[in-house]
Amino acid sequence: LFASKPTSSQPDRGNSRMPRQHGRENNKSENHQQSLVKVPKGSHDFGPEEMILLEDILSVVKSIFKRHGTDMIDTPVFERRETLMNKYGEDTKLIYNLEDQGGEALSLRYDLTVPLARYVATHDVHRMKRLQVGKVYRRDNPARGRFREFYQCDFDIIGEGYSNLTTDAEVIKAMSEVLSALDLRFTIKLNHRSLLQALCTYVG
């Protein structure tokens, strides 16, 4: 019933190789399993605690934007490819293209701006303060702080009857209110051609 131990001082080479062989196989299996369950590069899993924080942040953003009279909309995460192509210059190459399975060439949205323009044209919108929060996708090389999938929060004012400077000031004010409500230290820098022209006129 019991195997006796080898009496020779020489190692049992036949048996000694087996554990090492099994060890290598086990390591390969474990590495393969780990590679199968890893999150894709440039993306992130949100656990329960992170989701609570994320929902709190988005709630602050939405509530402040709504105080400025915005209407919330949503658009598909994919658009017709021809809608997105040649709208982003060199960054067009960062658009994720989907396989054609329904008779239309489709791509994942790169941002929320071009889908807004499509929405306005589709629904014949002439005047709107728009709020939209959603995920966007970039076929970029992921790095620290750079993701392929992330949220954007957009506040846009479109249409006739708005003063350009007033609307610009309101968007900046809303952004300042959001960052202040989140208790963040920030600096807003303006890059506006009209401001530069006014400064040049003032100094002569």
Side-chain angles (χ1 to χ4, degrees), residues 163-174:
S163 167
N164 290 336
L165 293 180
T166 301
T167 54
D168 288 346
E170 183 172 8
V171 171
I172 294 171
K173 185 175 187 298

Side-chain angles (χ1 to χ4, degrees), residues 106-123:
L106 304 175
S107 300
L108 293 178
R109 62 189 181 194
Y110 176 89
D111 63 9
L112 300 180
T113 303
V114 172
L116 169 64
R118 196 271 308 153
Y119 177 91
V120 169
T122 301
H123 300 279

Side-chain angles (χ1 to χ4, degrees), residues 73 75 79 83 113-128 158:
I73 68 169
T75 56
E79 295 278 352
T83 301
T113 303
V114 172
L116 169 64
R118 196 271 308 153
Y119 177 91
V120 169
T122 301
H123 300 279
D124 196 25
V125 177
H126 296 280
R127 180 182 174 94
M128 185 182 195
I158 60 173

